[in-house]
């Protein structure tokens, strides 16, 4: 938690690291009645245009989202008590990402604040490179603060968000695959706009 001179800037870092959404594919079907096809019939044995091959990286994309979601859940546990005690942050975050969370926790403890409420997420994998020496992924997350609260433990009161703080904003997470496991290496909340 930042000092009173820079109120609640930790919110941007803290909130950007949560996730509960899952990837979903988009598809379409012809719902027109009549049964007449518009266009030439496909030759026998040809693949139907409606059937698309399965995503070969679907398993990795799911693993990326699971790692991102895991960090978000563990970070929220830590922010609710202003301590990483009893959490598994190290399982999901590299040293760089973890150090930012620890700095937030230090500031929160100094200020006597914790997080209450919930932080909403709508995340999806927007890039995946499995050919790199260290596989990399990017997650785009729409963070929703509509049910988020910062709470001053000493004063026993809720701290309102700054009026300029958007209730929904875009965050970007970077992950790498280390020894078969996806880890969050960086969260960026500074370049995304409203979502």
């Amino acid at each position: 938690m930042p000092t009173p001179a820079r109120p609640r800037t930790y919110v941007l870092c803290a909130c950007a690291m949560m996730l509960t959404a899952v990837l979903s594919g988009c598809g379409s079907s012809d719902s027109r009645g009549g049964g007449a096809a518009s266009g030439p019939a496909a030759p026998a044995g040809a693949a139907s245009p409606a059937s698309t091959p399965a995503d070969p990286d679907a398993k990795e994309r799911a693993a990326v989202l699971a790692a991102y979601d895991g960090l978000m859940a563990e970070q929220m546990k830590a922010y609710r008590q202003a301590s990483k005690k009893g959490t598994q942050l190290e399982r999901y975050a590299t040293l760089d990402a973890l150090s930012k969370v620890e700095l937030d926790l230090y500031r929160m403890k100094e200020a006597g604040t914790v997080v209450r409420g919930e932080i909403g997420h709508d995340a999806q994998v927007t890039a995946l490179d499995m050919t790199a020496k260290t596989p990399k992924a990017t997650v785009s997350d729409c963070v929703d603060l509509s049910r988020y609260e910062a709470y001053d433990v000493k004063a026993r009161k809720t701290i309102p968000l700054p009026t300029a703080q958007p209730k929904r904003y875009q965050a970007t997470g970077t992950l790498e695959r280390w020894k078969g496991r996806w880890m969050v290496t960086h969260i960026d909340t500074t370049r995304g706009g409203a979502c």
Side-chain angles (χ1 to χ4, degrees):
M1 182 86 189
T3 61
R6 293 180 58 203
R8 296 171 300 285
T9 54
Y10 81 91
V11 170
L12 293 176
C13 288
C15 298
M17 302 180 78
M18 307 290 162
L19 162 74
T20 56
V22 294
L23 253 184
S24 63
C26 296
S28 64
S29 61
D30 188 354
S31 58
R32 291 172 286 170
S38 60
S48 165
S51 68
T52 54
D55 179 3
D57 293 321
K59 185 176 178 182
E60 291 300 333
R61 289 177 185 276
V64 167
L65 287 176
Y68 186 82
D69 185 36
L71 178 60
M72 300 305 103
E74 294 302 309
Q75 184 180 13
M76 199 62 184
K77 284 182 195 174
Y79 287 174
R80 288 185 190 283
Q81 60 188 8
S83 169
K84 70 175 190 172
K85 186 177 180 180
T87 68
Q88 296 182 346
L89 288 164
E90 292 87 355
R91 177 176 173 81
Y92 302 104
T94 64
L95 187 57
D96 287 344
L98 183 60
S99 66
K100 291 179 182 179
V101 175
E102 289 175 336
L103 180 58
D104 283 345
L105 293 171
Y106 171 79
R107 289 176 175 165
M108 291 172 71
K109 192 162 191 155
E110 288 291 304
T113 59
V114 294
V115 169
R116 289 188 171 177
E118 297 296 331
I119 298 174
H121 296 275
D122 184 11
Q124 60 182 318
V125 177
T126 54
L128 181 65
D129 183 0
M130 295 301 296
T131 63
K133 183 176 180 181
T134 301
K136 297 180 181 356
T138 304
V139 170
S140 180
D141 187 7
C142 182
V143 179
D144 182 354
L145 300 180
S146 59
R147 297 185 340 175
Y148 167 90
E149 284 184 355
Y151 184 77
D152 186 327
V153 177
K154 295 173 186 173
R156 295 184 181 180
K157 66 178 184 179
T158 299
I159 303 167
L161 287 172
T163 54
Q165 172 69 50
K167 294 287 185 187
R168 292 172 61 95
Y169 63 91
Q170 197 72 37
T172 303
T174 306
L175 294 88
E176 292 182 354
R177 193 170 185 256
W178 295 6
K179 296 182 180 176
R181 191 171 77 209
W182 287 98
M183 303 281 287
V184 177
T185 60
H186 182 69
I187 299 289
D188 185 358
T189 61
T190 61
R191 297 180 192 172
C195 56

